[in-house]
Each structure stands twice: as structure tokens, then as C-alpha cells.
Amino acid sequence: MYALVDVNNMYASCERVFNPSLEGKPVVVLSNNDGCVIARSNESKKLGIPMGAVAHLFKKTFEEHNINVFSSNYALYGDLSERIMNTLSKFTPDIEVYSIDEAFLYFKGYERFNFNEIGLNMKQAVANGQGIPISVGFAPTKALAKVANRIAKKFPERFKGVYVMDSEYKRKKALKWLKVSDIWGIGERYARKLNRYGIQNALQFTEASDQWIRKEFTVVGLRLKKDLEGIPT
């Protein structure tokens, strides 16, 4: 099984580590030159602040809603990211740091373990060690782990930030829910192309023929299809 660990609202969460009074309050982090929004807390998202929002155009909105605005501090974010990855590596030595706020962990030989419990323990360890919230998705492949993580993050009350995709029923249900535009590796242009062929969700993508997928989306698209079918590529 693979686990994809993703930090919730990484930059905004990092700012809260050093200013706990920001907990529960709207936070945005701006790009290098304070030009646009590159991170938002959930509270800011609910207020309708879009990713990439031009800062000076939203200045009035920030003030009206008492949104806490920060310049980016990449040294801080990088240091906390390294600490988080070190904490995660204690759960399995097979870890691939994918970005500053994401990592794949491979649990080989853990078939008899309770992955939901492992995920909750990971969340608690990072919360205790770094004070940062994370979401964890478990699945047989990396692409499916991405989907599982999306579900964990989308429904935190239901799954407590951990989702384990450990059955064919769960795989199909998740892929039917996931829009093709939200598939890891499918850009906007390819999503529109798939929509024109009547493919609206990830399950329909996997049900297309291998030959057609390879022709239209090259071998990379075919590998993604196999990964979503539960075949590691």
C-alpha cells in the first residue's frame, strides 16, 4: 500500500505554528513580491478568496473580513517541511518527498496492519511534533493514493483526515466521484478533450480502451489509467 501525506494549507498552517492566536481565523499568504495569494486557510476559502488572487485588488476584502495577510517565508516553510518528513520517515523507511507539502510512503509487508490506525498515528505524530495538520490517503497505487488523500481532505468530519482505499468497491466509488479534471496528471486541455468524448469522471477514464488512451494521451496516459485501475506503474 502507498500512503500520500499532504499538509493541509501548508504555508498558512506554518504561520499558525508561530502565532497560535491565528487558529480559526482567516489567513492568506502572498507570493514573493506580495503580488498574489499562494496559500489560504479554510476560513479564507470559505470567504471566497481564490488561489492566485491579485493582492491589491483584494485589499478591501482582506480588511472587511479581518483576513490575516502574510508575506511568504520560504525558509520557515522549508524547515518545517523537513521536520515533518523526518517524522513521517519513522513510520516506514520507504519515503519519497514529492513536494514541500507532500510525500509518498510505501508500506510493503504491512498487509495485516490497520492502515487507518497508522494514518491516525501519523497525524498525531506530526501534530505533536510540528503542530501542523495533515491528511493521509492509503491505496494500492500512487494515483489512487492521491484520490484517497483528496477524499480524506474533502470529508474531514467523516474520515478524520484519513481514508483507506482497500477494496474494489471503494476504488470504483471514488473514481466515479472524481471529475476527470481533478485526476492527478490530467490538465485542463486534456480534461476538455475527454469531456468531448463523454468521459466526465475518473471511472469512465479507466473504462476506455487501452488502445484509445494510448493513441490520444500517449504511454503516459496509459500508465495513469493502469495506476487508477489499481495496477502500479
Side-chain angles (χ1 to χ4, degrees):
M1 287 285 266
Y2 287 93
L4 175 65
V5 176
D6 186 17
V7 178
N8 300 346
N9 310 316
M10 174 70 176
Y11 297 167
S13 294
C14 288
E15 294 294 344
R16 283 174 167 168
V17 169
F18 290 93
N19 190 349
S21 67
L22 295 172
E23 194 64 42
K25 298 178 181 178
V27 174
V28 299
V29 178
L30 304 180
S31 56
N32 277 334
N33 59 354
D34 289 349
C36 62
V37 173
I38 57 172
R40 306 158 295 162
S41 66
N42 289 336
E43 295 79 9
S44 294
K45 293 176 184 178
K46 289 178 181 177
L47 290 171
I49 306 299
M51 182 66 83
V54 179
H56 73 87
L57 297 179
F58 278 79
K59 185 177 180 180
K60 186 176 180 181
T61 303
F62 295 158
E63 293 172 351
E64 288 177 349
H65 295 284
N66 295 316
I67 296 175
N68 298 271
V69 183
F70 293 90
S71 299
S72 51
N73 184 344
Y74 295 112
L76 167 66
Y77 309 149
D79 179 67
L80 281 172
S81 174
E82 184 176 356
R83 293 169 185 264
I84 291 169
M85 300 309 168
N86 287 337
T87 297
L88 295 175
S89 67
K90 296 175 183 178
F91 289 85
T92 173
D94 199 343
I95 179 172
E96 175 188 347
V97 178
Y98 184 65
S99 67
I100 193 171
D101 61 347
E102 288 181 287
F104 287 103
L105 288 79
Y106 184 43
F107 290 86
K108 185 177 181 180
Y110 283 66
E111 287 76 13
R112 295 186 179 181
F113 283 70
N114 184 321
F115 287 110
N116 190 72
E117 185 176 330
I118 291 174
L120 292 173
N121 288 339
M122 291 165 71
K123 279 177 58 68
Q124 192 62 51
V126 173
N128 290 343
Q130 289 76 48
I132 297 283
I134 62 173
S135 296
V136 188
F138 287 92
T141 70
K142 287 183 177 179
L144 288 175
K146 273 275 193 178
V147 180
N149 183 279
R150 192 179 187 90
I151 293 171
K153 187 169 287 188
K154 183 73 174 180
F155 306 102
E157 294 82 10
R158 182 174 178 184
F159 299 113
K160 296 180 173 59
V162 179
Y163 186 75
V164 182
M165 192 185 297
D166 54 2
S167 70
E168 184 66 1
Y169 170 77
K170 287 184 178 181
R171 183 187 73 86
K172 288 187 173 182
K173 184 177 181 181
L175 295 188
K176 188 175 181 180
W177 166 77
L178 188 71
K179 297 177 182 177
V180 288
S181 57
D182 292 330
I183 297 175
W184 180 37
I186 296 291
E188 185 178 337
R189 181 168 63 90
Y190 281 144
R192 288 199 303 266
K193 184 176 182 179
L194 286 164
N195 290 163
R196 287 198 298 270
Y197 284 101
I199 298 175
Q200 305 294 328
N201 60 52
L203 183 61
Q204 292 172 325
F205 177 77
T206 63
E207 290 172 342
S209 72
D210 289 357
Q211 183 180 6
W212 183 80
I213 291 291
R214 179 160 187 164
K215 177 185 175 183
E216 299 292 333
F217 303 98
T218 74
V219 69
V220 176
L222 181 59
R223 288 172 180 164
L224 176 58
K225 176 181 183 292
K226 293 298 180 184
D227 226 53
L228 290 172
E229 289 175 346
I231 304 169
T233 56

